[in-house]
Every structure is written in C-alpha cells, then in structure tokens.
Amino acid sequence: MATSSERSPPPFPDSEDHDVLDSEEVGGRDSDEDDVGDELFTSAVNSPLTEHGSTPSPASQPSDVSMKPPRDIMDDPLIEPLSSQTENKPTSEDASEPSDDFVDLTGNITDSPGDAATDATEIPLDEPADDFVDLFGGEAEAPRGKVVVADVTIETAAHKREAADDVTDPPGDRKTGSNDEEQEAKETSTDSIIDLSDDLPAGDSQQPPPARDRFVDPLVNLLSDSPAAADAKIPSRATVDLFEDEGSDFFADPRQHKSAHQPQKSLFGEPDEDLFGEPLGAASKKPVSKEPRGKPVATKAGSNVSNTGGPLQEAADLFSEEAVTAVPGIKNASTVNSKTNGVHSEEETDIFAEATVELSLDSPRDERRKDVSAKPSASASALSAAASLAKSQSASLEELDEEGGEEEQEDEFEISISVKDPEKIGDGMNAYMAYKVTTQTQLAMFRNKTFTVRRRFSDFLGLYEKLSEKHGPNGFIVPPPPEKSILGMTKVKVGKEDSSSADFVERRRAALERYLQRVVNHPSLLQDPDVREFLEREELPRAVGTQALSGAGFLKMINKATDAVSKMTIKMNESDVWFEEKLQEVESADQQFRKLHTLVESLVVHRKELSLNTASFAKSTAMLGSAEDNTALSRALSQLAEVEDKMEQLHQEQAANDTFSFAELIADYVRLLGAVRGSFDHRMKAWQRWQDAQAALQKKRETEAKLLWANKPDKLQLAKEEIAEWEVKVTQYERDFDKVSATVRKEVNRFDKEKAKNFKREIINYLECHLQSQQQLIKYWEAFLPEAKAIA
Amino acid sequence: MTSSIDESNKEKMRSVSVDLNHDASLLIDIPDALCERDKVKFTVHTKTTLSSFQKPDFSVPRQHEDFIWLHDTLVETEDYAGLIIPPAPPKPDFESPREKMHKLGEGEATMTKEEYTKMKQELEAEYLAVFKKTVQVHEVFLQRLSSHPFLSKDRNFQIFLEYDQDLTVRRKNAKEMFGGFFKNMVKSADEVLISGIKEVDDFFEQEKTFLLDYYSKIKDSTAKAEKMTRSHKNIADDYIHISATLSTLSADDTTANKKHLEKLADLFEKLRKVEGRVASDQELKLTELLRYYMRDIQAAKDLLYRRARALVDYENSNKALDKARLKSKDIPQAEQHQQQCLQKFDKLSDSGKKELTSFKGRRVVAFRKNLIEMAELEIKHAKNNVTLLQGCIDLLKSI
C-alpha cells in the first residue's frame, strides 16, 4: 500500500496532492481500508485519466493540471527563496524508500521547480502522472508566471513540509499524515505518502461511511470548480490549501497540528495560529461552513467542518466519497480543493497573510468564482448539489475576498519602516546622501522580519517614478516623496556644517520615512514588486532620470507643460457630482494648505528669532546682573538670565517641533493633495480618451451614412468594420473610465480616512510637545519667583 | 484717531516704576487723554491739601510739549543742580502702529475678512497700549515731581498744575533746537574733559564708574528686551493667520478631518490671545522698567556731571585764588568766588549723595516689584496655555 500510495502521490505530489488525496480518499472508499492509499492513488490516477479520457471536458484535466502546476510552482518558489530545495531533496531522499517516484518527483520539483521536466519525471513515475504531467507542463508554466502565487505556494509548501515532517515523526500522525502526505506530498511526498498510505486505510475505515457522502458532494462541487479553474493559480492555492487543511484535519493528531501550526505561525505570525490553532478546522469551517452549511450543500460543508473537527474522519469521508464516484470524485476533489481553497483563502490569508493578500489582489478569486460557476455543470454530473455548493463557494469566496481586503488593511500595521543614518557619500557636486532603510514586518511576503538596505535619495525618487507610472493612470494615489532641493543639497554637498543643512537633512530623512511608510500602508502598492525590491534587494539599479536638471528632467518638464496645456483645454463635462465637489474641495484644500505651510514656516522663523533674541537678552541680563551693585538684585538678575537661557532652549525646541511636527505635516499634505489632484487628472484623461473615441465613432457613422447615401457598397463594408472596431474601443474606454473613476473614488475615500487619522495623530503629538514645553516654562518661572521675592 | 483712557485701565498701567512717596498732600493723576493727530492732550488732575494752591481739586489740559518745557526749566534751575531731575517723558510715538495699520489696509485683499478683522483688532489693541503707556510715562513724571521734597515746591511745577488755560508753550524754534544740540555737544566734550579730573570722594568715584557701566548695560538690555517682546508679538500675529487659515480649511472640509481642523483653529486663536498678553506684559513689566531706568540713570549721570563741573569750577577758583594771592590782587574777590564754588560743590555733593542713595533704593524696589509681577504673569500665561493645549488634546482624542 505504502508503495502504491507512494507511487500515486509522486505524480500528484505537487499539484496532485490534493487530487491524490482526493483520489486517495476515493480510493479509500473504493478499497476502503486496505489499499486506500494505493487505491486512492490509483483512483486518483484513474480519475485524472478517466477524467481526461472519459470526461472529455478539458476543464477537469486542467484543473488537475492546474493543481499540479501550482504545486510545482510552489516547490520551485519554495526552493528558491527558502532554499528549501535542499531540504526538499533530503526529505525526498528520505522518503525515497517509500516512494521513489515521489522522490524523483520531489527532486525534480525541487530541482527545476516549475520546469516541465520535473513534471515529466513525475509523470513517468506514475501512470496517472502522465496525464498530470501533460497537464502540469502546460499549467505549470502559467502558474509559474505569477510570482505571487509562487511565493504563496512556497510558504505553504514550507509549512507543509514542516507539517509533513512532523507527521512522519509521530506515527500516530500517520492518518493525518496521509492527508498531509498528499498535501505535503508535493514536497515531502514520500514520507507523507507512506504515512498516508498507512493512515489512509485507517482513516478510511473510520471515516468512510458518513463523511463520505458529505465529502462527496463538496468534492464534486470542488471538482467542478477546480476543473473550470483554468487558473492555475487558484487551483494551486486550492491544492495547497486543501492539503494544508486536509492535512491539518487529518493531522488531528496534536503533534502534527502543533508542528504545522508553529511553522505557520512563525511564517505568518498571527494568522497561522488562527488557521492551525482553531484552526484548520475553524478556518475551513468558517469559510465553507458559513454559506454552505445553510444550504443543502451545507452537509458537505459540514463535512468539511467536521473534517476539521475530526480530520481523519473527514479525510476518510472525502476519500471514500471520491472513491465512490471516481470521476466525480476527482472532480469533487478538485472542487473540494477549490472549496478548501476558498476556505483556505481565508485560512491562507490568515496563515499566509501576505500570500493570501496577494492572492486576493490577483484576479484569481474572481476567476475562481467564474470557474466555480462554470464548474457546476461538470459537477452536475456528479451531484446536483454541486451547483449549490459552487454558488455557496463563490459566495464564500467573495466573503473571503472581503476578508482578505480587511486583512490587508490590518496588515498595514504589520510593517513599519524607518529611514536612518543619513550619510554623505562622495565629495563635491557628485556627493549624494544615502540612507539606511530598515523594514520591520510580520508579513510573510518578506523573507525576513527585519532587514536593512542602503538607498540613496534618487532611489526614492526612482521608486516613485515607477509606481506613479504603473499605478497613476489607474487612478491610484501614489504617495509622493519629498522634492529634490538643489539649494538644500548644494549646501550639504559643499559640506557646510551649519544648523540649516543639518536641519535640511533631518527634514528630508523624516519625510522619506513618512513617504515609505505611506507607500507600504497602501494595500495595493505594498504588493508592487518594485516596492519589495526597493525594500529588500541589496543592490538597486541606479535610478535614472530623477535629476532635476538632467535631460530626462527636461523632458519631464516638457511633458508636464503639455499636460498642463491639455488639462486646460479639456473641458470635462462632469456627470458625477461627487467628483466635481471633491475636486473643488481638494483644490481649495490644496491652496489653503499651501498658505498654511507658508504661515507655519514664518511661525518657525519668528520662533527662531524669538529664541535668538531671548538668548541675547539672557546674555545682556547676565551682564546687567554683574554690573548691579545691590547683591540681591544682582543675584536675581543673574537668575533671570538663567531662566531666559532656558527659555531660549524651550523656544528652540518649540521651533523644531513647529518644523518637524507641524510644518512637515502640512508639507506632506501639500504633496499628497497634489497626488490626489493627479489621480483626478488621470480620470479626466481616461474620460477624454473615451470622448475622443466616441467622437471618432460618430464620425465613422456619419461616413457610413454618407456612403450609404452615395451607395458605395464596397467602401461601406470597410466603414462598417471600422465602426465595429470603434464601438469596441468606445466600450473599452468607457469601461476604463468607469474603472478609473471607481478607483479614484475609493482612493480618495481612503485618503480622506487616512488623512483624518494621521492628522489627528500628528497634531496631538505636536500639541503634546507644545504642552510639555509650556509646563517646563512654568517650572522655570516658578523657580525664579522666590529669587525675585528675595530682592531686598 | 481719537482714543481715551478710562480709569480702571490706568490703574493697571501704573505699575512701571518708581517707588513714589505716598504723600497725600499732593496727588496727581492723568485720568483722561485725547489724541488728535500728532498732538496728545492730557488732562492733568490734581488733588491737594497744600495751601500754596488756590483750590484743593482741579484739572488742567496739558500737551506733551508742556511736560518737556517743565522738565527743561527744572534742569536749568541752578538750585536743582544737586538733584536727579526726573527724566522727561518720551515723545508719544504713534507712528509704528499707524504704519502697521496702513500696511494692513494694503494687504487686505490677501486676507479673509475674519483674518483682517482680527489683525485690525490686534493693531488697535497695540495702538491703545502705546497710548496708555504714553499717558503713564507722563503721569509718572509728574508723580515723581510731586513726591520730591524740593521739586514739588517748584513754582513752575505749580503753575503747570494750576494754570487753567493752555500754557501755549512755544515750540522750540530751529535756533533753539540747534542751540540745544550745540549744548549737548559742549556737554559731551566737557564730560570727556572733566573725566580726567581726580575725584576727591570715593563715593562719587564709585558711583560714577557704576552708573557709566550700568547705563551701557541697561541700554543693551532694553534693546534686547524690546526685540524679544516684538518676537512674541510676531508669533501672536502668526497664530492669527494660522488660525484663520485653519478655519477656512475646516469650512471647506467635508471629511472627518473637519473637526480636527476646527479645534485646531480654535486653539490657535486662543493661543494667540495668550501670546499677545505675554508680549504686552513683558513689554510693560520688563522692557518699560528697563527703559525707564535707562532714562533715570541718564538723569543721575547728569547730576554727576553737574557735580563734576562744580568740582572743576571749585578747583579753578582755587587756582585763581592762588594766583591772586601771588599777585596780591583781587584777593577778596577770588576768596569769595572760591568760597562760593566750594559751597556750591559741597551742596551738590551733599544732595547728590542723598539723591543717588535714594535712587538706588528706588531702583531695587522697582525691579523687585516688576520682576515678581512678571514672573507671576508668565506663570499665569503658561498655565493658561497648558490648559488650552490639554483641553484641545483631550477634545481631539475624544473625536
């Protein structure tokens, strides 16, 4: 059994793990206890094959494939980032005994993560694998393409590995191990497989009867979903999730759970704990159970839930169900996966925090939904319930997405960035400032919790250029960095060590820090590979075109000028009152904030003046005190001089406080409001494009009418084609415009919310500083009072 | 521009200064003043039990020039050479607030109405403060005269107080102005000459060094204190603009930030008032004190100069007497002159010593009083600030 199970797993390992599991489950049902693993595998193999063969519906295969590919991907990513390759290999070797195939597969996977070669190797090992291999080959490529998925998978894989290891260690875990094996099979397929095979029988025996039915339905649904899952990503996730979830369920054994939990925790921090802790069960329950339960399918969901509760049983049920309906079972498995995926997506979000976020960000989920909806038909063959499940799933997926979104927001607080140690590098006019950018994060999307890179100022600008180019046109508000200051920088370059240049450097440092923090607080921007590269990568290619006076800068200026002209010429016929009002509000706020900034700057100047004047008065008073011939008065005067000296300090500190807490806050908003206006401009441009397209369409129509009138059928055809072409464009542009509008709206709302929050926080900060300074002032004068009274 | 002062305000304003004898026999105050263009008309009110006055209670209108005339006649009176003549009140200076008002009018377009109103109020308050201060220094001048045992008996002083018509003191013509200027030149040159003279009395020797040193120090301190006070004023003005801009912002804002801006605008408006008080109290308690004693020390220095002059005269008369004796010619005349000079010098030394000692006591008491008051006011304002800030922080936190 073990061998057979092993065999079967190998092919499945990565993507098929789920399938395998499913198949195993199915097999378990079929063969129930004995060759559950083998049967499962075989069944799985069969099922895939059968699916491929019997069910011409390519979707089912794709789903499998997709499942597989993701796994492969997962492995690859895992290997690369985690350097888990070696680990995987070892594990695979260890496991080699049980399942050579697996080993090979794993080895391949590890070696050439996403390569079809690995798939091929896998295929050869297992008969069913061939199908899979094919599937994998195609699918694998697609999934690989998506980095995010890969990361997620990697993480999950890592978790799985750990879980798998745990499973293997504790024999009792075997049952769960089987599940794990399947799940983990991808990585530690061999060990897990063995365990699984052993476990499977047991699990089958236990679970088979009741759980199976439930599972079957879900599985069917899942399968239906999964088949449709043309999206390799989704399936992959699903598979991963499935495996994990199942594994967790299977793992029923505390050890395994614990181990799994721990690794996950470490990886994902809090989320993992939730998932695994209550977890797996709870997580799976949550998503699936929510909607599904209520509906007829609920039983299925319930089964899933029950799985979490009694993992083994559920797993067994699942398998049994799958086994029962071989093809459907497979489908189910896939569907299950998808479901689990859905569930997982939540779980994943929790577990993988970042990974889930990424997933949620990607369209996959939508695709999933579509898939699910599409799948139903396939599943229909298996079970009518599948459809309902699919719906429920899609609903749950939506929920998941929403949850994912919320989590993203929460994630904002899981990353904090500090910019420190400004350092002048080089001499003369070629000198530049470099800063230490330290990131502290709980997010699993980063390899480490804390890492530091060195960045020069133009790198910050380069990041902004990239981001605004990428996200600006979509209506995102990209936080702007502090402007280049030729004057300020020249002073620094010349090496003047006066207070104004130190002031300048400190101001800029703080502004850069706030800028980066704003970027990573933006859920979409955080996902941008450039942001991560900026934060993580040791060496960054030199940012070009950020020089204010360079050729590129000149070009930029020209572009801006043309933009400004076109902005003036575009007379937008605003249809949405909200935008009109908001734009007006933003523009007047922009103006007022600018004014306020000048005023606060002048306050700072006056405060510094006051500080200077107080200092000179203090000196003068000290002199006066020394000249005074009345001892008590002389003493009092020198005391007064001391008090005034302290006042000078207070005023100076207050001036710094005015600058850094207040003036800089305002300056930030001036910049941000500029960015907000930029997003409005992008919306207007989108509108203009749409209008232009409409005008063009109108013209074509007129031409057509003329041609019709002129009775020129030859040209008429051409005109009609053009009209069709432009109609498409118009709809496209209109959609673009709507999308940009929606984004702008969302972004502006987010901005407003953030602004209020941030403003309040900063202002309270500022006022508290002011308060402290006043309290200090009271203390100083109170100390002086007795001195004055002592004058005789 | 026309303004007047009421009694209650004046009580507060009278703080600068000078420890006055509370001699109920002659009480002088300026209950009212009118400002017409450049001229300020003070109503000088006198209440007395002295028989040298025809009535126990009377008021007369006086202008700044009348005060200057009185001061000059006192300085020129030979009998008072041994006294510290209270410094003449400085000429009312309404130019700076007027100029500011003018500037404000020009800048009206760049400000919101609210902002403009506040600025105008602020300037009016400043103008009023200058006005009050002017009245106060004139009043103090008369009060010091009235509390002085000799000067209060001065005939010109009594005429100044009693004559119920306009004194119509002629303004100094150009020649006199030049004469005054020339006199100052001579005096300065003379001072340099005299400074070489060997002092016969340690007390005056010390006093001279002290006053010269002290004068330069207090002059410096006064200038610095003025600057410091002006800086406070500038900050208060900045607060006005910031507050106004913040409230404009909050008016336009429709988001959750509106309330934050609103509260902040309120806070700055209140902080502005406190800061304005800090500025005016510092002006009143510190700068004005320093300024007054700067002038008073100048008066004391003048006394020393007159005494030194007398000393030089006496020594010259001694030399003349020696010469006369040598020539045995006009000896009695020379003796008489020498006696006169000696008498005068001794008299000057005597009264000068008394005057300077009392000046010292007066100065210490005045400094004590003002420093205490200033410290108390600073504490009060800072506490106000703390309350305001704390209140605003709590408000913001509760939003």
Side-chain angles (χ1 to χ4, degrees):
Chain A
M1 287 172 61
T3 55
S4 65
S5 67
E6 291 169 357
R7 291 173 188 173
S8 59
F12 298 102
D14 303 334
S15 62
E16 291 178 353
D17 288 343
H18 298 293
D19 297 352
V20 174
L21 292 170
D22 297 341
S23 65
E24 286 179 358
E25 292 173 357
V26 177
R29 293 176 183 177
D30 292 347
S31 65
D32 290 350
E33 299 171 355
D34 293 353
D35 301 328
V36 176
D38 296 352
E39 287 177 1
L40 290 172
F41 288 111
T42 56
S43 65
V45 173
N46 294 338
S47 64
L49 293 171
T50 55
E51 285 180 358
H52 297 298
S54 65
T55 53
S57 68
S60 65
Q61 292 176 356
S63 69
D64 296 346
V65 175
S66 64
M67 302 282 287
K68 297 170 181 178
R71 293 176 184 180
D72 294 349
I73 296 165
M74 305 283 290
D75 293 347
D76 297 346
L78 292 169
I79 294 166
E80 294 173 358
L82 300 170
S83 72
S84 62
Q85 292 178 350
T86 58
E87 293 178 357
N88 292 339
K89 291 175 181 178
T91 57
S92 65
E93 289 177 0
D94 296 339
S96 66
E97 295 178 3
S99 63
D100 296 348
D101 298 351
F102 285 104
V103 172
D104 295 346
L105 292 171
T106 56
N108 295 337
I109 295 166
T110 56
D111 294 346
S112 59
D115 296 356
T118 59
D119 295 338
T121 59
E122 291 175 355
I123 297 166
L125 295 172
D126 296 335
E127 295 174 0
D130 293 4
D131 299 348
F132 286 101
V133 170
D134 296 345
L135 295 171
F136 288 109
E139 294 174 357
E141 293 174 1
R144 290 172 185 176
K146 301 180 180 179
V147 179
V148 176
V149 175
D151 295 345
V152 174
T153 56
I154 294 167
E155 294 174 355
T156 57
H159 296 297
K160 292 175 182 178
R161 290 176 186 175
E162 293 175 354
D165 294 340
D166 296 337
V167 173
T168 55
D169 295 342
D173 299 347
R174 287 178 184 177
K175 297 172 183 178
T176 57
S178 65
N179 297 328
D180 295 339
E181 287 174 357
E182 293 171 355
Q183 298 170 348
E184 297 168 354
K186 303 166 184 177
E187 299 172 357
T188 60
S189 59
T190 59
D191 296 341
S192 64
I193 291 167
I194 298 169
D195 295 339
L196 289 171
S197 64
D198 296 341
D199 296 343
L200 290 173
D204 293 346
S205 63
Q206 295 175 352
Q207 302 168 349
R212 287 179 185 177
D213 297 337
R214 297 176 185 173
F215 287 101
V216 173
D217 295 340
L219 291 170
V220 174
N221 295 335
L222 293 171
L223 291 171
S224 65
D225 295 348
S226 65
D231 306 344
K233 300 174 182 179
I234 299 168
S236 68
R237 298 174 185 172
T239 56
V240 175
D241 298 347
L242 291 171
F243 289 105
E244 292 178 356
D245 295 348
E246 291 177 358
S248 64
D249 296 349
F250 293 117
F251 291 104
D253 299 1
R255 290 181 184 178
Q256 292 175 352
H257 289 294
K258 289 176 181 177
S259 62
H261 295 300
Q262 291 174 350
Q264 291 173 352
K265 290 176 183 177
S266 64
L267 294 171
F268 304 106
E270 300 173 358
D272 294 338
E273 294 178 1
D274 295 342
L275 294 174
F276 292 93
E278 314 172 337
L280 303 174
S284 61
K285 289 174 183 178
K286 291 175 184 175
V288 176
S289 63
K290 287 177 182 176
E291 296 175 355
R293 286 179 182 175
K295 299 173 183 178
V297 180
T299 56
K300 297 173 183 179
S303 68
N304 292 339
V305 174
S306 65
N307 289 341
T308 58
L312 296 174
Q313 293 178 354
E314 290 177 359
D317 294 344
L318 293 170
F319 288 94
S320 64
E321 288 177 0
E322 290 177 0
V324 174
T325 55
V327 176
I330 296 166
K331 292 176 183 177
N332 291 340
S334 63
T335 55
V336 171
N337 292 336
S338 66
K339 290 177 182 179
T340 54
N341 290 340
V343 174
H344 291 295
S345 66
E346 293 179 352
E347 295 177 358
E348 286 177 354
T349 55
D350 297 345
I351 298 170
F352 306 105
E354 298 173 0
T356 54
V357 174
E358 291 175 356
L359 294 171
S360 66
L361 293 174
D362 295 350
S363 56
R365 288 183 179 178
D366 297 34
E367 292 176 351
R368 287 180 187 176
R369 294 177 194 167
K370 291 174 187 172
D371 296 346
V372 173
S373 59
K375 293 170 184 176
S377 62
S379 66
S381 64
L383 294 170
S384 62
S388 64
L389 286 174
K391 288 177 186 173
S392 67
Q393 287 177 355
S394 66
S396 67
L397 285 173
E398 286 179 1
E399 285 186 1
L400 292 173
D401 287 353
E402 288 177 7
E403 289 185 8
E406 288 173 8
E407 283 167 17
E408 286 167 24
Q409 288 195 336
E410 286 166 15
D411 287 345
E412 290 172 15
F413 303 101
E414 288 175 13
I415 183 164
S416 80
I417 291 186
S418 66
V419 176
K420 285 200 193 97
D421 300 343
E423 188 189 352
K424 194 171 106 174
I425 294 183
D427 283 314
M429 289 317 284
N430 287 325
Y432 61 89
M433 296 300 291
Y435 304 84
K436 239 187 215 165
V437 180
T438 305
T439 312
Q440 272 190 312
T441 179
Q442 295 295 326
L443 298 183
M445 66 185 275
F446 295 100
R447 268 170 275 169
N448 299 311
K449 282 190 174 178
T450 311
F451 41 90
T452 302
V453 290
R454 201 139 187 99
R455 293 283 176 262
R456 54 180 292 178
F457 181 66
S458 56
D459 293 336
F460 289 85
L461 294 187
L463 175 64
Y464 169 71
E465 293 294 332
K466 281 186 204 162
L467 291 179
S468 67
E469 216 168 278
K470 254 189 278 184
H471 301 283
N474 296 330
F476 282 104
I477 299 172
V478 182
E483 298 83 5
K484 246 186 144 58
S485 160
I486 294 174
L487 182 70
M489 201 47 207
T490 307
K491 260 191 188 169
V492 174
K493 279 176 180 168
V494 172
K496 256 187 162 179
E497 290 295 331
D498 66 350
S499 67
S500 76
S501 88
D503 204 58
F504 167 77
V505 170
E506 169 57 20
R507 267 194 198 212
R508 175 172 273 184
R509 183 205 65 73
L512 287 174
E513 189 173 297
R514 291 192 304 271
Y515 155 66
L516 279 187
Q517 191 62 47
R518 283 206 173 89
V519 169
V520 298
N521 279 354
H522 195 294
S524 307
L525 295 181
L526 176 59
Q527 304 308 323
D528 191 284
D530 281 325
V531 173
R532 288 174 50 187
E533 191 183 52
F534 181 87
L535 294 177
E536 268 187 326
R537 205 166 134 183
E538 274 305 323
E539 289 295 324
L540 209 60
R542 179 102 159 70
V544 290
T546 58
Q547 286 89 349
L549 290 179
S550 67
F554 187 63
L555 273 180
K556 231 184 284 167
M557 273 169 61
I558 293 181
N559 279 337
K560 273 184 189 158
T562 44
D563 268 9
V565 171
S566 68
K567 220 187 285 173
M568 274 158 52
T569 51
I570 296 177
K571 282 259 175 350
M572 185 158 176
N573 196 354
E574 187 56 82
S575 52
D576 194 327
V577 183
W578 185 87
F579 280 102
E580 200 174 350
E581 284 174 356
K582 204 73 201 172
L583 182 59
Q584 243 171 21
E585 195 182 307
V586 167
E587 273 174 356
S588 86
D590 185 45
Q591 203 190 343
Q592 292 299 323
F593 266 116
R594 269 170 211 281
K595 192 177 158 199
L596 189 58
H597 187 246
T598 338
L599 290 173
V600 177
E601 288 285 338
S602 104
L603 172 68
V604 170
V605 169
H606 285 143
R607 188 96 69 186
K608 282 183 178 159
E609 240 173 57
L610 173 64
S611 164
L612 272 180
N613 291 335
T614 310
S616 59
F617 176 69
K619 256 184 223 136
S620 180
T621 312
M623 296 297 286
L624 186 66
S626 69
E628 174 63 56
D629 60 354
N630 180 298
T631 337
L633 181 53
S634 165
R635 203 181 124 82
L637 284 176
S638 43
Q639 289 293 329
L640 178 65
E642 265 178 44
V643 170
E644 294 292 352
D645 252 342
K646 287 173 190 158
M647 293 295 138
E648 183 230 335
Q649 276 301 317
L650 284 184
H651 292 320
Q652 211 170 342
E653 281 161 23
Q654 186 56 40
N657 185 28
D658 286 338
T659 309
F660 294 119
S661 300
F662 199 30
E664 285 294 273
L665 174 71
I666 310 288
D668 271 6
Y669 282 117
V670 170
R671 275 183 223 122
L672 280 170
L673 285 169
V676 174
R677 289 174 64 169
S679 74
F680 276 99
D681 289 346
H682 281 301
R683 177 173 168 270
M684 198 163 76
K685 272 186 207 153
W687 181 83
Q688 185 62 27
R689 215 170 40 196
W690 173 35
Q691 294 303 308
D692 287 348
Q694 263 187 341
L697 177 60
Q698 191 58 36
K699 232 181 220 162
K700 298 288 174 202
R701 286 212 171 111
E702 278 166 16
T703 325
E704 186 202 21
K706 271 183 204 154
L707 287 174
L708 211 57
W709 187 255
N711 200 11
K712 288 180 182 168
D714 47 337
K715 286 182 184 171
L716 199 59
Q717 188 52 37
L718 194 68
K720 274 191 172 140
E721 276 169 15
E722 277 181 346
I723 286 173
E725 188 185 317
W726 278 100
E727 273 171 346
V728 171
K729 274 188 190 166
V730 167
T731 23
Q732 175 62 35
Y733 289 153
E734 185 177 0
R735 215 179 299 139
D736 283 353
F737 172 69
D738 287 345
K739 222 170 101 191
V740 171
S741 296
T743 313
V744 169
R745 206 169 167 140
K746 213 176 105 202
E747 285 282 293
V748 169
N749 281 332
R750 181 180 176 277
F751 170 77
D752 282 342
K753 231 167 69 190
E754 289 283 310
K755 185 173 88 170
K757 232 170 33 189
N758 184 277
F759 190 82
K760 180 174 153 185
R761 198 173 55 227
E762 295 297 323
I763 280 300
I764 287 181
N765 224 333
Y766 167 68
L767 294 181
E768 273 169 351
C769 276
H770 200 157
L771 181 70
Q772 275 171 11
S773 134
Q774 289 294 319
Q775 277 165 343
Q776 204 59 42
L777 195 138
I778 295 178
K779 267 187 212 158
Y780 292 149
W781 280 114
E782 275 174 347
F784 173 72
L785 200 50
E787 295 290 342
K789 284 181 175 160
I791 302 171
Chain B
M1 243 181 272
T2 302
S3 330
S4 69
I5 261 188
D6 58 85
E7 193 86 23
S8 62
N9 277 337
K10 215 185 49 203
E11 289 305 320
K12 269 196 297 187
M13 303 293 300
R14 198 171 294 167
S15 53
V16 166
S17 63
V18 198
D19 178 38
L20 299 166
N21 294 339
H22 293 290
D23 182 1
S25 61
L26 181 61
L27 293 175
I28 303 169
D29 63 344
I30 301 179
D32 193 21
L34 269 175
C35 183
E36 290 168 350
R37 296 194 145 266
D38 289 350
K39 280 184 194 164
V40 185
K41 278 191 178 169
F42 304 94
T43 307
V44 178
H45 172 243
T46 310
K47 229 172 148 180
T48 183
T49 54
L50 296 178
S51 57
S52 53
F53 294 99
Q54 289 170 356
K55 283 183 283 182
D57 198 322
F58 45 88
S59 293
V60 291
R62 291 292 176 263
Q63 291 184 26
H64 171 70
E65 282 70 26
D66 302 333
F67 287 81
I68 299 302
W69 165 82
L70 178 60
H71 177 258
D72 288 350
T73 52
L74 291 175
V75 168
E76 281 158 18
T77 308
E78 196 71 9
D79 289 345
Y80 303 145
L83 305 178
I84 295 177
I85 312 294
K91 190 171 163 39
D93 177 21
F94 298 117
E95 273 316 298
S96 89
R98 274 208 193 113
E99 207 173 297
K100 277 191 198 162
M101 195 66 96
H102 187 66
K103 259 191 201 160
L104 181 67
E106 280 176 348
E108 188 178 353
T110 64
M111 276 177 274
T112 62
K113 200 166 177 214
E114 189 189 7
E115 209 173 348
Y116 177 75
T117 321
K118 276 187 200 160
M119 282 304 279
K120 207 174 152 199
Q121 279 171 3
E122 197 67 8
L123 275 182
E124 278 165 3
E126 192 183 333
Y127 176 79
L128 200 65
V130 171
F131 186 75
K132 283 178 189 168
K133 214 169 67 191
T134 307
V135 171
Q136 192 197 0
V137 290
H138 286 80
E139 197 179 55
V140 165
F141 172 67
L142 296 180
Q143 283 168 343
R144 267 194 69 187
L145 289 179
S146 75
S147 65
H148 197 279
F150 301 126
L151 296 174
S152 61
K153 310 282 188 309
D154 183 72
R155 185 68 204 136
N156 285 324
F157 179 46
Q158 295 198 348
I159 290 171
F160 176 90
L161 292 178
E162 210 171 13
Y163 184 62
D164 61 353
Q165 302 296 307
D166 273 352
L167 278 179
T168 59
V169 181
R170 175 171 64 82
R171 287 200 161 213
K172 285 179 181 168
N173 59 31
K175 196 179 161 196
E176 275 169 333
M177 291 284 275
F178 182 76
F181 178 68
F182 184 72
K183 219 165 75 185
N184 272 336
M185 290 281 287
V186 170
K187 187 182 143 210
S188 308
D190 207 27
E191 263 175 342
V192 175
L193 282 177
I194 291 171
S195 67
I197 247 178
K198 198 180 170 297
E199 182 56 71
V200 289
D201 191 327
D202 275 351
F203 174 83
F204 285 102
E205 178 66 38
Q206 275 175 16
E207 216 40 45
K208 197 174 94 184
T209 338
F210 166 69
L211 285 179
L212 280 176
D213 184 33
Y214 204 81
Y215 180 74
S216 68
K217 299 278 165 59
I218 204 170
K219 197 175 166 188
D220 183 57
S221 294
T222 310
K224 300 284 160 61
E226 266 172 18
K227 270 191 177 174
M228 188 171 75
T229 312
R230 210 175 308 134
S231 299
H232 276 292
K233 193 101 204 72
N234 285 337
I235 287 174
D237 286 350
D238 287 336
Y239 282 168
I240 294 184
H241 295 300
I242 289 173
S243 167
T245 310
L246 281 171
S247 62
T248 317
L249 262 176
S250 87
D252 293 347
D253 206 315
T254 58
T255 65
N257 214 20
K258 186 186 182 73
K259 277 186 185 156
H260 303 157
L261 292 166
E262 222 171 69
K263 301 287 174 245
L264 205 58
D266 273 4
L267 174 71
F268 271 106
E269 170 61 17
K270 286 174 190 156
L271 285 181
R272 184 271 290 199
K273 283 185 180 147
V274 176
E275 194 67 34
R277 293 231 177 86
V278 169
S280 68
D281 285 337
Q282 259 182 21
E283 163 79 19
L284 212 61
K285 299 293 170 195
L286 189 65
T287 319
E288 196 56 33
L289 171 83
L290 292 169
R291 207 180 281 137
Y292 187 83
Y293 276 94
M294 186 179 83
R295 282 187 281 122
D296 213 9
I297 287 169
Q298 181 60 48
K301 271 170 68 193
D302 288 348
L303 166 67
L304 285 183
Y305 163 70
R306 289 192 298 266
R307 182 184 156 276
R309 185 72 251 170
L311 178 61
V312 172
D313 286 349
Y314 168 62
E315 284 183 351
N316 285 343
S317 73
N318 266 345
K319 279 177 199 159
L321 179 60
D322 287 348
K323 240 183 221 170
R325 282 189 178 144
L326 212 61
K327 291 177 182 170
S328 305
K329 200 172 75 185
D330 297 333
I331 292 177
Q333 262 183 327
E335 265 181 351
Q336 199 191 345
H337 180 66
Q338 190 248 4
Q339 278 306 315
Q340 276 176 355
C341 285
L342 181 60
Q343 261 178 13
K344 188 185 168 195
F345 173 69
D346 283 347
K347 195 182 143 207
L348 272 180
S349 292
D350 272 1
S351 70
K353 210 175 254 181
K354 259 186 256 163
E355 283 282 303
L356 285 172
T357 315
S358 88
F359 160 76
K360 207 167 273 186
R362 198 169 66 225
R363 190 182 74 232
V364 171
V365 171
F367 266 85
R368 178 177 193 269
K369 181 171 168 261
N370 277 288
L371 286 181
I372 291 174
E373 281 175 2
M374 188 178 75
E376 278 168 350
L377 285 168
E378 290 276 3
I379 292 169
K380 187 183 125 198
H381 295 322
K383 278 185 176 161
N384 269 340
N385 273 336
V386 166
T387 318
L388 288 174
L389 287 165
Q390 190 62 57
C392 186
I393 289 170
D394 292 345
L395 260 177
L396 281 177
K397 276 184 178 163
S398 70
I399 289 176

